[in-house]
Amino acid sequence: MCGIVGITGHENVVTDLVEGLRRLEYRGYDSAGVAIVQTDSVRVIKQQGKINDLERVLPWDELHGSCGIAHTRWATHGKPSKLNAHPHSSGALAVVHNGIVENYTALKVRLEGKGHLFRSETDSEVLAHLILDQYDGNLETAVQRALKLVEGTYGIAVVHADEPDKIVGARRGSPLLVGVGDGANYLASDVAAIMGHTRQVIYLDDGEMVVLTPQDVTTMNVDNQEVTKEIQEITWDLERIQKGGYPHYMLKEIFEQPQTVLDSFRGRILPESGDVKLGGIQLTDRELLAIKRIIIIACGTSWHAGLVGEYLLEEYARIPVEVEYASEFRYRSPVIEPGTLCLTISQSGETLDTLEAMREAKRRGAKVIGITNVVGSTIARESDCGVYIHAGPEIGVASTKAFTSQVTILILLTLLFGRRRHLGIEIGKRTIEELQRIPDKIQQVLDQSAAIRAIAEVYAQHSNCLYLGRGVNFPIALEGALKLKEISYIHADGYPAAEMKHGPIALIDPNMPVVVISTRDSSYEKIRGNVQEVKARQGKIISVVTEGDTEIAAASDHVITIPETMNMLTPLLSVIPLQLLAYYTAVIRGENVDQPRNLAKAVTVE
Ligand code: F6R
């Protein structure tokens, strides 16, 4: 997804802007550009493709300036191309924009009538002309006037050659933060872009603006009232967002899971009382008991985690749960009764559909708990209270460690709600004891990576794959299928295993690999029958079974084992081989694992 970097106060900002863009590469993009403020003009250089492509066309010797802005674009309006890339300029002004200008057609017609010449197909270009149109010597005033005319969402950074060391930023619906430095200041859509320079950051809220010069940071709102903001310290390390010896971020993140799952529950479990303590949830026992229904809102992988949560919360806490796609929820007229709790799950905390669905739930009176990874993200800040999953930065576009951490938090929430209802101390204690063993058990699954790669070798060139699971492993089948299609571009579907006979069974033939998650639990006997149905039609069976299983193993073409655990915790183990299977398949096919085509890490558009 689009990324913004701005720097004012370095001797020559070009290299540092490009470096900042590199740190945003993981978000996914299709073109990039920089605007450097020079004497009398703003020099804009942009290119379709990757940062390397931009670097190749940068006239390094000619580009000098202590103030500039830069952008990685992920196409929404207008195809990926050099012309559509940002920054967009008008006269001596340049702007980079994340978000969507909804009324750009009307604005464009008006500005063209005034003689502005448009060069791109984007909605964003209208901002450059609009701000210039309002400019009479003070950039922040021009931005304020212009934004009053804009409908839609934005995170922007603007420069003008007449105010050569100034960057103006503004935010509505698209993240933007300020890095406070010493003799230099920074603006970015993601803290990763500026962490090499400062750890002191200010997160802007919707409706806020900032004016940066090398010496000063002034925060205000669009009505020009000064706003006092807190400076926060980033405590995690840049190391954590680098590859650490792995060929891809995704593999690194898969292998981090023993640690990240531990980080998610560490300090939050109470082994003696079989209970948990979540500091971010400021609800009294009485308030917890008053919850009559839970709605889980999320997208993609986070939605799959939500489905796992539905099984857990209903079975162990006995609270009715519905899991909603955020994009659907926000446009329905959802029924929110007193006692409805909304759990919003989002790794990035910036997914626009999830954010808007959460706002809709709040408007309708629901209490909202945000389950997010990115500290200071919009969902984290706007939810009534929240729980960070503590998975650390997830760079690979395909989500892996965030999923297991989200599930871990849902297990903790199940204990929190359950222990105040029907869940006895003994089962609470047993769950916590077993949860503490899970990091080692994840490691045991990871230790089979060579065998999983060998399975991937067999099926990497196939065109389809089916994933089957039952109960708590049904969402894992969905997640396995999503991982495979996202990064290897193989068509894959996940189904509840018994549903196969109502349609997908027609697809099964000797060319159809079928991944069956058939761990030893209450649905084991049933799924054994489903395995036989596939076998009878000569489908190729890749089974994920519990250690010691012989029956399903005997009927399968390939077997991956996971250690025995409690049903509630099984997803934390059963998803690992599916992540590895998808990863190795994509690598064998030569795909760009960390930045799959058409996908972005944080989907901040509708
Ligand atoms: C899949 C994936 C996406 C995200 C989805 C929601 O690997 O990464 O499906 O899960 O876009 O993103 P967040 O969790 O950031 O709201």
Side-chain angles (χ1 to χ4, degrees), residues 298-303 345-352 354 379 394 396-400 402 406 479 482-483 486 599-603:
C299 303
T301 287
S302 299
W303 186 80
I345 309 177
S346 173
Q347 186 286 130
S348 61
E350 302 292 352
T351 302
L352 190 73
T354 311
I379 291 175
E394 190 179 63
V397 166
S399 185
T400 52
Q406 289 165 343
E479 176 59 8
L482 179 68
K483 284 291 90 78
E486 278 181 303
L599 294 179
K601 187 66 191 162
V603 184

Side-chain angles (χ1 to χ4, degrees), residues 354-599:
T354 311
L355 176 61
E356 288 301 338
M358 177 181 94
R359 287 174 175 161
E360 183 60 29
K362 280 181 81 174
R363 269 194 290 274
R364 288 172 186 255
K367 187 115 190 144
V368 177
I369 296 181
I371 302 175
T372 55
N373 191 30
V374 177
V375 176
S377 58
T378 311
I379 291 175
R381 284 180 291 133
E382 289 196 15
S383 39
D384 294 307
C385 53
V387 191
Y388 284 121
I389 63 172
H390 293 324
E394 190 179 63
I395 311 291
V397 166
S399 185
T400 52
K401 64 175 181 171
F403 176 79
T404 43
S405 286
Q406 289 165 343
V407 170
T408 304
I409 298 304
L410 289 161
I411 291 165
L412 298 185
L413 284 172
T414 301
L415 288 175
L416 182 79
F417 293 126
R419 288 288 289 115
R420 271 139 204 89
R421 289 176 162 77
H422 315 272
L423 199 75
I425 183 166
E426 282 315 315
I427 175 141
K429 281 167 82 167
R430 207 149 57 76
T431 308
I432 286 174
E433 276 164 25
E434 182 56 17
L435 186 59
Q436 289 173 291
R437 291 188 203 106
I438 286 289
D440 285 342
K441 293 188 175 183
I442 293 178
Q443 189 56 51
Q444 288 173 42
V445 185
L446 293 171
D447 290 344
Q448 297 176 62
S449 62
I452 295 170
R453 186 184 169 114
I455 299 172
E457 298 274 359
V458 178
Y459 298 105
Q461 304 312 331
H462 281 54
S463 311
N464 296 291
C465 190
L466 206 56
Y467 286 73
L468 304 176
R470 297 187 81 133
V472 83
N473 280 322
F474 160 52
I476 300 306
L478 293 179
E479 176 59 8
L482 179 68
K483 284 291 90 78
L484 188 74
K485 68 184 130 191
E486 278 181 303
I487 59 169
S488 73
Y489 317 140
I490 293 175
H491 173 251
D493 262 339
Y495 271 94
E499 193 61 22
M500 183 182 64
K501 59 185 170 296
H502 299 288
I505 199 163
L507 294 168
I508 293 178
D509 67 12
N511 287 320
M512 177 64 96
V514 184
V515 178
V516 192
I517 309 147
S518 28
T519 52
R520 254 203 196 282
D521 53 38
S522 53
S523 53
Y524 182 80
E525 296 302 326
K526 302 271 180 218
I527 208 156
R528 202 172 53 170
N530 302 134
V531 167
Q532 291 304 336
E533 289 161 8
V534 176
K535 196 173 168 61
R537 286 152 188 91
Q538 292 161 24
K540 296 287 179 282
I541 300 167
I542 303 160
S543 292
V544 177
V545 301
T546 311
E547 263 168 18
D549 182 283
T550 49
E551 289 173 63
I552 288 186
S556 307
D557 296 274
H558 309 273
V559 179
I560 304 164
T561 59
I562 62 169
E564 177 126 40
T565 189
M566 294 168 76
N567 191 33
M568 200 194 303
L569 308 184
T570 305
L572 292 175
L573 302 180
S574 56
V575 76
I576 308 288
L578 308 193
Q579 296 170 343
L580 286 169
L581 199 59
Y583 170 78
Y584 288 121
T585 303
V587 169
I588 293 161
R589 289 168 70 97
E591 305 300 354
N592 184 345
V593 172
D594 283 332
Q595 289 165 34
R597 68 183 182 208
N598 305 338
L599 294 179

